[in-house]
Coordinates of all heavy atoms in Angstrom, one line a residue:
I52 N 35.1 -185.3 42.7 CA 35.5 -186.5 43.4 C 35.3 -186.3 44.9 O 35.9 -185.4 45.5 CB 36.9 -186.9 43.0 CG1 37.1 -187.0 41.5 CG2 37.3 -188.2 43.7 CD1 38.6 -187.2 41.1
P53 N 34.6 -187.1 45.6 CA 34.4 -186.9 47.1 C 35.6 -187.3 47.7 O 36.1 -188.5 47.5 CB 33.2 -187.8 47.4 CG 33.1 -188.9 46.4 CD 33.7 -188.2 45.0
F54 N 36.3 -186.5 48.6 CA 37.5 -187.0 49.3 C 37.2 -187.2 50.8 O 38.0 -187.7 51.6 CB 38.7 -186.0 49.2 CG 38.4 -184.6 49.8 CD1 38.7 -184.4 51.1 CD2 38.0 -183.6 48.9 CE1 38.5 -183.2 51.6 CE2 37.7 -182.4 49.4 CZ 38.0 -182.1 50.9
A55 N 35.9 -186.8 51.1 CA 35.5 -187.0 52.5 C 34.0 -187.2 52.5 O 33.3 -186.8 51.5 CB 35.9 -185.9 53.4
A56 N 33.4 -187.7 53.7 CA 32.1 -187.8 53.8 C 31.4 -186.4 53.9 O 32.1 -185.4 54.3 CB 31.6 -188.6 55.0
P57 N 30.1 -186.3 53.3 CA 29.5 -184.9 53.4 C 29.4 -184.5 54.9 O 28.9 -185.2 55.8 CB 28.0 -185.2 52.9 CG 28.2 -186.4 51.9 CD 29.3 -187.1 52.7
P58 N 29.9 -183.2 55.3 CA 29.9 -182.7 56.7 C 28.6 -182.2 57.1 O 28.6 -180.9 57.4 CB 31.1 -181.7 56.7 CG 31.0 -181.1 55.2 CD 30.6 -182.2 54.3
V59 N 27.6 -183.0 57.2 CA 26.2 -182.5 57.4 C 25.6 -183.2 58.6 O 26.2 -184.2 59.0 CB 25.3 -182.7 56.2 CG1 25.8 -182.0 55.0 CG2 25.1 -184.3 55.8
G60 N 24.6 -182.7 59.2 CA 24.0 -183.4 60.3 C 24.9 -183.3 61.5 O 25.5 -182.3 61.8
D61 N 25.1 -184.4 62.1 CA 26.0 -184.5 63.2 C 27.5 -184.3 62.7 O 28.4 -184.2 63.7 CB 25.9 -186.0 63.9 CG 24.6 -186.1 64.6 OD1 23.9 -185.1 64.9 OD2 24.2 -187.2 64.9
L62 N 27.9 -184.4 61.6 CA 29.1 -184.1 61.1 C 29.5 -182.7 60.9 O 30.7 -182.4 60.5 CB 29.5 -184.9 59.8 CG 29.5 -186.5 59.9 CD1 29.9 -187.1 58.6 CD2 30.4 -186.9 61.1
R63 N 28.4 -181.8 61.0 CA 28.7 -180.4 61.0 C 29.7 -180.0 62.1 O 29.5 -180.4 63.2 CB 27.4 -179.6 61.0 CG 27.7 -178.1 61.0 CD 26.4 -177.3 61.2 NE 25.4 -177.4 60.2 CZ 24.1 -176.9 60.2 NH1 23.7 -176.3 61.3 NH2 23.3 -177.0 59.1
W64 N 30.8 -179.3 61.7 CA 31.8 -178.9 62.9 C 32.4 -180.0 63.5 O 32.6 -180.3 64.6 CB 31.2 -178.0 64.0 CG 30.5 -176.8 63.4 CD1 31.3 -175.8 62.7 CD2 29.2 -176.2 63.6 NE1 30.4 -174.8 62.3 CE2 29.1 -174.9 62.9 CE3 28.1 -176.7 64.2 CZ2 28.1 -174.3 62.9 CZ3 27.0 -175.9 64.3 CH2 26.9 -174.6 63.6
K65 N 32.7 -181.1 62.6 CA 33.6 -182.2 63.0 C 34.7 -182.4 62.1 O 34.6 -182.0 60.8 CB 32.7 -183.5 63.1 CG 32.0 -183.6 64.5 CD 31.3 -185.0 64.7 CE 30.6 -185.1 65.9 NZ 30.1 -186.4 66.2
E66 N 35.8 -183.0 62.4 CA 36.8 -183.4 61.6 C 36.3 -184.2 60.4 O 35.5 -185.0 60.6 CB 37.8 -184.2 62.3 CG 39.2 -184.5 61.7 CD 40.1 -185.1 62.6 OE1 39.9 -185.3 63.8 OE2 41.2 -185.4 62.1
P67 N 36.8 -184.0 59.2 CA 36.2 -184.7 58.1 C 36.4 -186.2 58.2 O 37.5 -186.8 58.7 CB 37.0 -184.2 56.7 CG 38.3 -183.6 57.5 CD 37.9 -183.0 58.7
Q68 N 35.4 -187.0 57.8 CA 35.4 -188.4 57.8 C 35.6 -189.1 56.5 O 35.4 -188.4 55.5 CB 34.1 -188.9 58.4 CG 33.7 -188.4 59.9 CD 34.8 -188.7 60.9 OE1 35.1 -190.0 61.1 NE2 35.4 -187.7 61.6
P69 N 36.1 -190.3 56.4 CA 36.4 -190.9 55.2 C 35.1 -190.9 54.2 O 34.1 -191.1 54.6 CB 36.8 -192.3 55.5 CG 37.4 -192.2 56.9 CD 36.4 -191.1 57.6
A70 N 35.4 -190.8 53.0 CA 34.3 -190.9 51.9 C 33.8 -192.4 51.8 O 34.7 -193.3 52.0 CB 34.8 -190.4 50.6
A71 N 32.6 -192.5 51.5 CA 32.0 -193.8 51.3 C 32.5 -194.5 50.0 O 32.8 -193.7 49.0 CB 30.5 -193.8 51.3
N72 N 32.6 -195.8 50.0 CA 32.8 -196.4 48.8 C 31.6 -196.5 47.9 O 30.6 -196.3 48.3 CB 33.3 -197.9 48.9 CG 34.7 -198.0 49.8 OD1 35.5 -197.0 49.7 ND2 34.9 -199.0 50.5
W73 N 31.8 -196.7 46.4 CA 30.7 -196.9 45.6 C 30.9 -198.1 44.8 O 32.1 -198.6 44.6 CB 30.5 -195.6 44.7 CG 31.7 -195.2 43.9 CD1 32.0 -195.8 42.7 CD2 32.7 -194.2 44.2 NE1 33.2 -195.2 42.2 CE2 33.6 -194.2 43.2 CE3 33.0 -193.4 45.4 CZ2 34.7 -193.4 43.1 CZ3 34.1 -192.6 45.3 CH2 34.9 -192.6 44.2
Q74 N 29.8 -198.6 44.2 CA 29.9 -199.7 43.3 C 29.8 -199.2 41.9 O 29.2 -198.2 41.7 CB 28.6 -200.6 43.7 CG 28.7 -201.2 45.0 CD 29.9 -202.1 45.3 OE1 30.4 -202.8 44.4 NE2 30.4 -201.9 46.5
G75 N 30.3 -200.1 41.0 CA 30.3 -199.6 39.5 C 31.1 -198.4 39.2 O 32.2 -198.3 40.0
V76 N 30.8 -197.7 38.2 CA 31.6 -196.5 37.8 C 30.9 -195.3 38.2 O 29.7 -195.1 37.7 CB 31.8 -196.6 36.3 CG1 32.6 -195.5 35.8 CG2 32.6 -198.0 35.9
R77 N 31.6 -194.4 38.8 CA 31.1 -193.1 39.2 C 31.4 -191.9 38.2 O 32.6 -191.9 37.8 CB 31.5 -192.7 40.6 CG 31.0 -191.4 41.1 CD 31.7 -190.9 42.3 NE 31.1 -189.5 42.8 CZ 30.3 -189.4 43.7 NH1 29.7 -190.4 44.5 NH2 29.9 -188.1 44.0
Q78 N 30.4 -191.3 37.7 CA 30.8 -190.2 36.8 C 31.5 -189.1 37.5 O 31.1 -188.5 38.5 CB 29.5 -189.7 36.1 CG 28.9 -190.7 35.1 CD 29.7 -190.8 33.9 OE1 30.1 -190.1 33.2 NE2 30.1 -192.2 33.7
A79 N 32.6 -188.6 36.9 CA 33.4 -187.5 37.5 C 33.6 -186.6 36.3 O 34.7 -186.1 36.0 CB 34.7 -188.1 37.9
T80 N 32.4 -186.0 35.8 CA 32.5 -185.1 34.6 C 32.0 -183.8 35.0 O 32.0 -182.9 34.1 CB 31.7 -185.7 33.4 OG1 30.3 -185.9 33.9 CG2 32.3 -187.0 33.0
A81 N 31.6 -183.6 36.2 CA 31.0 -182.2 36.6 C 31.5 -181.9 38.0 O 31.7 -182.7 38.8 CB 29.6 -182.2 36.5

Side-chain angles (χ1 to χ4, degrees):
I52 305 169
F54 66 84
V59 301
D61 289 342
L62 295 185
R63 181 188 285 174
W64 298 307
K65 280 191 177 180
E66 188 172 354
Q68 300 301 304
N72 296 337
W73 60 83
Q74 300 297 317
V76 179
R77 180 188 179 104
Q78 289 294 304
T80 57

